[in-house]
Amino acid sequence: MSSGLTRRRGAGGAAQNLADSEATPSRNSSSHNVRDAGPETSYDTSENGHKIAFDPRDMSESAERSKQPKLTMMEEILLLGLKDKQGYLSFWNDNISYALRGCIVTELAFRGRISMEKDPARRRLPLADRNIEVIDETMTGEVLLDEALKMMKQSEKMSVATWIDLMSGETWNLMKIGYQLKQVRERLAKGLVDKGILRTEKRNFLLFDMATHPVVDGGAKEEIRRRVRNVLTQRTVVLNGSQWLPETLEFRYLRTLAMVCAAYAANVLENALSTLGHEARERAFAQTDELLADYSQWPFGKKATGNGIGANLPQIVAEEMSKNKDKELQLEVVAACLSVFTRLDSLL
């Protein structure tokens, strides 16, 4: 394949514990360790004159959630990978942990928290090797996103690829092992339980018990599958508004394209295409290769011709970008994350 990604077919049914399999050394005591700031308290006066204490961060997080889709990109990828009834991932999936860390960086960029460092000299470097910086410290209300955001704020500036590597534990530098995000899959699954998409069960696998997370809201997963099939099989792509992809959301189409490419990199895309015939699936994978090639470069879509499947996508993405010209440095981060996905098989 042109992207260099490895696609495995017919993965076995053996269970993979959602708790990440990387080693989990304790964090060192360096200044890079992140600790929550002390509580902030504000007061409001009720109708009867009593003061009511509240944390203003709760208000900002609530406002943030109202503007964003119900599921983060990481949750969508994990949900695509889970077996509906069994509630676990395929044992043979080596890519998903790394891809999920890439989704964290991508999601922070879409939410306007990080961007490429505004340095003209960065253009001499490959996309993935360009430094990113925090431009908005406001918490998102999503635990993993906020943990990553705090680390980025308190750290020296590093590149997109370096951040994804460090959060995945892909480093020999003992001074930076504390950047690794632990148990990402299990924490995402618990977040989906809180959102009413999954439930938690205990299952026995030979010599040990394991927490599994079967799907209880099949509508959420089916909506993601429909969106993927829409992008990869329709000549004219139309994404209807829903709680999963609100009409008011910025970059609705570009976000969906990034999610499809992330699902490909995470080796879970085939789960959305299982209802298609063999030839249709092969065309869908070929279309994903083209999308990944188009949107893993900056500026986007130099190769997009607008012919065949998704003929309207280049124009729609261009329109989304023209409405948000001040956010090009954020979208450059998205392109960099997708460029990391294109070389995923060589990294793992």
Side-chain angles (χ1 to χ4, degrees), residues 162-200:
T162 298
W163 272 115
I164 298 175
D165 282 349
L166 291 178
M167 290 192 293
S168 302
E170 297 286 326
T171 178
W172 293 101
N173 187 341
L174 295 180
M175 296 300 294
K176 293 187 175 181
I177 198 66
Y179 287 110
Q180 183 183 359
L181 292 180
K182 313 293 176 58
Q183 297 185 319
V184 167
R185 285 172 286 180
E186 180 64 25
R187 292 161 71 185
L188 287 172
K190 289 179 179 177
L192 287 169
V193 171
D194 293 339
K195 293 179 181 182
I197 309 298
L198 307 177
R199 70 174 184 272
T200 302

Side-chain angles (χ1 to χ4, degrees), residues 67-330:
K67 295 187 297 183
Q68 299 295 335
K70 185 173 180 179
L71 301 183
T72 65
M73 190 178 298
M74 304 88 71
E75 290 170 332
E76 290 178 328
I77 298 305
L78 183 78
L79 192 54
L80 275 179
L82 284 175
K83 300 176 183 294
D84 289 7
K85 295 180 180 179
Q86 295 92 335
Y88 52 75
L89 298 165
S90 168
F91 178 78
W92 308 108
N93 193 336
D94 298 327
N95 290 4
I96 192 167
S97 290
Y98 194 89
L100 287 173
R101 271 69 170 191
C103 288
I104 289 173
V105 179
T106 304
E107 186 76 41
L108 286 172
F110 274 126
R111 292 182 182 230
R113 298 309 195 271
I114 60 175
S115 73
M116 283 296 185
E117 186 178 14
K118 195 173 184 180
D119 179 5
R122 75 182 187 281
R123 297 188 180 94
R124 296 198 295 264
L125 299 172
L127 265 177
D129 296 334
R130 299 176 188 178
N131 285 349
I132 56 179
E133 62 183 354
V134 175
I135 57 175
D136 184 354
E137 301 177 50
T138 307
M139 296 292 100
T140 67
E142 300 287 348
V143 176
L144 282 170
L145 292 180
D146 292 341
E147 184 177 339
L149 184 63
K150 288 178 183 178
M151 287 196 298
M152 292 177 179
K153 179 61 181 176
Q154 296 181 9
S155 166
E156 73 272 20
K157 293 175 183 176
M158 294 186 287
S159 71
V160 172
T162 298
W163 272 115
I164 298 175
D165 282 349
L166 291 178
M167 290 192 293
S168 302
E170 297 286 326
T171 178
W172 293 101
N173 187 341
L174 295 180
M175 296 300 294
K176 293 187 175 181
I177 198 66
Y179 287 110
Q180 183 183 359
L181 292 180
K182 313 293 176 58
Q183 297 185 319
V184 167
R185 285 172 286 180
E186 180 64 25
R187 292 161 71 185
L188 287 172
K190 289 179 179 177
L192 287 169
V193 171
D194 293 339
K195 293 179 181 182
I197 309 298
L198 307 177
R199 70 174 184 272
T200 302
E201 293 181 352
K202 290 286 186 181
R203 292 175 65 96
N204 180 267
F205 290 92
L206 299 177
L207 301 177
F208 60 93
D209 291 330
M210 187 179 81
T212 61
H213 302 279
V215 176
V216 292
D217 182 356
K221 188 168 184 176
E222 184 53 36
E223 194 279 339
I224 299 171
R225 287 171 171 156
R226 279 198 302 268
R227 205 177 342 143
V228 170
R229 291 194 296 267
N230 193 345
V231 167
L232 297 181
T233 65
Q234 299 299 309
R235 180 175 177 81
T236 300
V237 177
V238 178
L239 301 177
N240 297 320
S242 68
Q243 62 178 320
W244 318 110
L245 195 72
E247 290 282 1
T248 55
L249 180 66
E250 293 178 336
F251 306 115
R252 295 176 72 247
Y253 283 79
L254 183 55
R255 172 185 277 270
T256 298
L257 292 178
M259 182 270 288
V260 170
C261 292
Y264 189 30
N267 208 14
V268 300
L269 183 62
E270 188 162 356
N271 296 343
L273 307 176
S274 56
T275 59
L276 301 180
H278 175 73
E279 291 186 2
R281 279 202 307 275
E282 290 302 314
R283 287 194 297 271
F285 279 115
Q287 175 68 1
T288 310
D289 276 327
E290 292 185 15
L291 290 175
L292 195 50
D294 289 343
Y295 293 99
S296 61
Q297 56 183 304
W298 185 258
F300 288 134
K302 290 181 180 178
K303 300 176 184 176
T305 61
N307 296 323
I309 299 172
N312 62 327
L313 287 176
Q315 179 181 349
I316 292 178
V317 170
E319 290 172 356
E320 289 183 334
M321 293 179 62
S322 68
K323 295 176 183 176
N324 298 275
K325 290 184 178 179
D326 59 328
K327 298 179 180 178
E328 287 190 354
L329 288 173
Q330 297 163 219

Side-chain angles (χ1 to χ4, degrees), residues 29-97:
S29 57
S30 72
S31 61
H32 299 313
N33 287 348
V34 178
R35 290 177 171 80
D36 292 333
E40 300 174 6
T41 305
S42 295
Y43 296 91
D44 196 5
T45 304
S46 64
E47 294 180 359
N48 58 13
H50 295 298
K51 284 189 174 182
I52 302 174
F54 65 94
D55 188 336
R57 292 173 297 183
D58 293 338
M59 305 295 288
S60 63
E61 289 176 6
S62 177
E64 167 80 13
R65 287 194 181 99
S66 68
K67 295 187 297 183
Q68 299 295 335
K70 185 173 180 179
L71 301 183
T72 65
M73 190 178 298
M74 304 88 71
E75 290 170 332
E76 290 178 328
I77 298 305
L78 183 78
L79 192 54
L80 275 179
L82 284 175
K83 300 176 183 294
D84 289 7
K85 295 180 180 179
Q86 295 92 335
Y88 52 75
L89 298 165
S90 168
F91 178 78
W92 308 108
N93 193 336
D94 298 327
N95 290 4
I96 192 167
S97 290

